[in-house]
Amino acid sequence: MKAMSKPSTRRTQKTTAADLVIVGGAGHVGLPLALVFAGKGLNVLVYDINDQAFPLIKQGKMPFMERGAAPLLQKVLAQGRLHFTANQSALSQVPIMIVTIGTPIDEFMNPNLQGMRDCFDALLPFISNEQLVILRSTVYPGTTDWLGSYMEAHGKHPLLAFCPERIMEGYAIEELQKFPQIISATTPEALERAAGFFLKIAPEVIRLKPMEAEFAKLFCNSFRYIQFAMANQFYMMANSAGLDFYRIFQAMKKDYPRMQGMPAAGFSAGPCLLKDTMQLTAFYNNEFSLGYTAMLVNEGLPLYLTDRLAHQYDLPNLRVGLMGMAFKANSDDPRSSLSYKLKKVLTFKAKEVLTTDPFVRGDTDLKPLSEVLEHSDLFILCAPHPQYKDLDFKGRPVVDIWNAYGKGAII
Ligand SMILES: NC(=O)c1ccc[n+]([C@@H]2O[C@H](COP(=O)([O-])OP(=O)(O)OC[C@H]3O[C@@H](n4cnc5c(N)ncnc54)[C@H](O)[C@@H]3O)[C@@H](O)[C@H]2O)c1
């Protein structure tokens, strides 16, 4: 009979060493990605400069809303598959590094590469030529090639890939495993390693060149942003003509396949769509006129609403209740939310602006829903959270640009 072999030390080390590290791993993109890879049995190291986020995550609690994430987090923590560090030296020896840090635009609406440069300046000493570095943040076209040259100039030649994140915030756990993954890389070897790696979670990979993949991501977001702008402009046009936009909208769509893709009107904002449209605009020498126009329309919607309300109501004597301060329904993310732009503009026009949201945390101005309901004379549904569906507004006007509950007033 063959003797049972003792587990080797090498094997024990392999199961405890990280298979990959996620840079920015406590963020909205990084953490769900970490969970999905850990859920597939990989050992994942979460590296983030914001180590204040770690204690909560280590307790099995998500720092933001993400469907299906909390049970998966608790499961992979219990399995010992998720580890945390704010010390970049822990990244050396980890074979795969995925970068998911924020890529904001600056005050001139131009891409700000400084964050990416600072990030890599800190990581370079711990990057080796054997590692696969995967850029996943949404980047300005050409960034992957720039990063390759930048690392080379510092004597580092890791395999380099760009594999954009295309999830809808809040649905990452499901979508990461459902949709094809676009992959690109600066060498065939890097491309094949990235392909094999993402096939652990995604059903299919689609190979592109780095700049094609960078464009693909930016085109996706700009396309959506422009679609929302069209709906918003049609809404404003119909509303200004004294018509109920949604009677027209429903008639246009009923049993008419060509219009099924048209979205409803609504605040189009959040951390990605405007920013990414502006990245393309900057790339195209400010001649991406559709993108610019979409920005004027979408960002102009709160101004339009305020103007219409000022003409129709005695705003200086009215308290306005803003319902939903997150950038979209069923989200706790207030980043770049147009609800806050509306609040700012209305504060100068109305007697008082009261705000509420069942999910957003950290905004000390927020009031309980009951208080806003009791004290407001007029309501604006900014983010159509389900909590607002069956409310009794007692005959007071409700502005519902989304037509979420069919209670909207023409203003
Ligand atoms: N939020 C989305 O739904 C979404 C979807 C697709 C793509 N993206 C893109 O993904 C990227 C990240 O977006 P996000 O919403 O997750 O941002 P986020 O701010 O939620 O997360 C970024 C994380 O990176 C960390 N970080 C910043 N600089 C760092 C550094 N130098 N080293 C280590 N950690 C660092 C931050 O502390 C934060 O935890 C952006 O490029 C964004 O455009 C976002």
Side-chain angles (χ1 to χ4, degrees):
M1 201 173 127
K2 220 172 153 189
M4 272 182 49
S5 59
K6 266 175 46 184
S8 73
T9 328
R10 229 172 137 238
R11 184 161 169 75
T12 313
Q13 276 171 355
K14 175 125 181 56
T15 47
T16 50
D19 297 305
L20 70 140
V21 55
I22 307 236
V23 177
H28 289 78
V29 161
L31 185 55
L33 189 65
L35 297 183
V36 170
F37 275 113
K40 297 287 178 190
L42 279 75
N43 288 316
V44 183
L45 180 61
V46 165
Y47 164 71
D48 204 296
I49 49 174
N50 176 21
D51 57 359
Q52 290 179 2
F54 295 163
L56 189 73
I57 303 172
K58 284 180 184 172
Q59 288 170 36
K61 294 181 185 154
M62 286 296 290
F64 44 80
M65 284 170 73
E66 190 61 52
R67 274 153 206 77
L72 184 55
L73 170 62
Q74 287 147 22
K75 182 175 143 195
V76 297
L77 281 172
Q79 291 171 337
R81 300 227 173 269
L82 207 55
H83 303 275
F84 301 86
T85 186
N87 179 355
Q88 54 271 43
S89 69
L91 276 63
S92 60
Q93 314 293 327
V94 182
I96 296 178
M97 187 184 289
I98 309 184
V99 178
T100 65
I101 65 168
T103 45
I105 48 174
D106 65 15
E107 68 272 37
F108 308 109
M109 298 225 176
N110 286 321
N112 184 353
L113 266 178
Q114 194 58 43
M116 193 61 77
R117 189 192 295 251
D118 291 347
C119 175
F120 274 88
D121 284 344
L123 299 184
L124 272 169
F126 310 101
I127 290 179
S128 69
N129 296 351
E130 291 70 43
Q131 281 171 318
L132 170 64
V133 174
I134 300 176
L135 200 50
R136 193 156 179 82
S137 306
T138 306
V139 295
Y140 181 73
T143 300
T144 311
D145 288 333
W146 167 82
L147 182 60
S149 308
Y150 191 71
M151 290 196 286
E152 274 186 24
H154 289 80
K156 300 287 174 155
H157 311 274
L159 298 176
L160 177 60
F162 171 67
C163 306
E165 179 63 82
R166 292 196 299 162
I167 52 101
M168 190 194 293
E169 193 175 297
Y171 298 85
I173 302 297
E174 181 193 348
E175 291 192 353
L176 280 166
Q177 303 172 82
K178 187 166 144 194
F179 295 147
Q181 172 64 52
I182 288 177
I183 58 159
S184 69
T186 55
T187 61
E189 187 188 352
L191 190 66
E192 289 323 303
R193 270 192 69 191
F197 178 62
F198 272 105
L199 282 171
K200 292 181 194 300
I201 60 167
E204 184 189 349
V205 292
I206 303 169
R207 292 167 174 79
L208 288 178
K209 294 176 186 161
M211 199 136 149
E212 292 172 337
E214 291 164 347
F215 268 129
K217 171 63 196 177
L218 292 173
F219 285 167
C220 283
N221 277 2
S222 300
F223 181 77
R224 280 166 54 72
Y225 194 61
I226 292 167
Q227 276 190 316
F228 292 137
M230 280 173 64
N232 286 336
Q233 186 138 60
F234 290 158
Y235 167 85
M236 291 188 259
M237 215 183 272
N239 188 75
S240 296
L243 299 173
D244 179 347
F245 169 69
Y246 284 100
R247 277 174 57 82
I248 307 168
F249 180 80
Q250 279 149 11
M252 282 160 66
K253 294 186 81 155
K254 185 160 186 340
D255 299 332
Y256 193 62
R258 283 188 284 284
M259 291 313 298
Q260 294 315 305
M262 181 179 169
F267 282 171
S268 176
C272 291
L273 297 190
L274 167 62
K275 161 188 84 85
D276 292 342
T277 306
M278 291 303 107
Q279 297 211 67
L280 264 190
T281 307
F283 178 82
Y284 201 43
N285 294 328
N286 291 343
E287 286 175 14
F288 180 26
S289 47
L290 272 176
Y292 252 142
T293 308
M295 184 264 281
L296 295 177
V297 172
N298 288 331
E299 289 287 309
L301 187 53
L303 309 177
Y304 171 84
L305 294 178
T306 307
D307 191 53
R308 298 293 297 182
L309 289 170
H311 278 94
Q312 209 155 326
Y313 296 97
D314 180 19
L315 277 186
N317 286 310
L318 294 183
R319 292 189 176 87
V320 182
L322 300 188
M323 323 273 294
M325 301 305 284
F327 83 86
K328 64 176 181 177
N330 279 310
S331 168
D332 59 354
D333 191 349
R335 292 180 294 171
S336 304
S337 167
L338 284 176
S339 311
Y340 283 92
K341 182 169 186 170
L342 182 61
K343 176 187 174 190
K344 203 184 276 183
V345 181
L346 273 173
T347 302
F348 289 104
K349 306 263 183 184
K351 182 176 180 184
E352 195 178 350
V353 181
L354 307 167
T355 57
T356 185
D357 193 292
F359 306 124
V360 170
R361 281 164 286 178
D363 173 354
T364 50
D365 274 359
L366 292 181
K367 308 227 173 316
L369 175 59
S370 55
E371 205 175 304
V372 174
L373 267 184
E374 191 183 332
H375 297 297
S376 302
D377 304 301
L378 161 70
F379 301 90
I380 303 179
L381 192 59
C382 297
H385 296 311
Q387 282 80 353
Y388 305 146
K389 189 166 192 297
D390 297 317
L391 294 180
D392 180 2
F393 293 98
K394 300 201 162 52
R396 290 165 292 177
V398 182
V399 177
D400 176 5
I401 47 173
W402 314 81
N403 197 38
Y405 313 127
K407 292 177 185 163
I410 301 171
I411 55 165

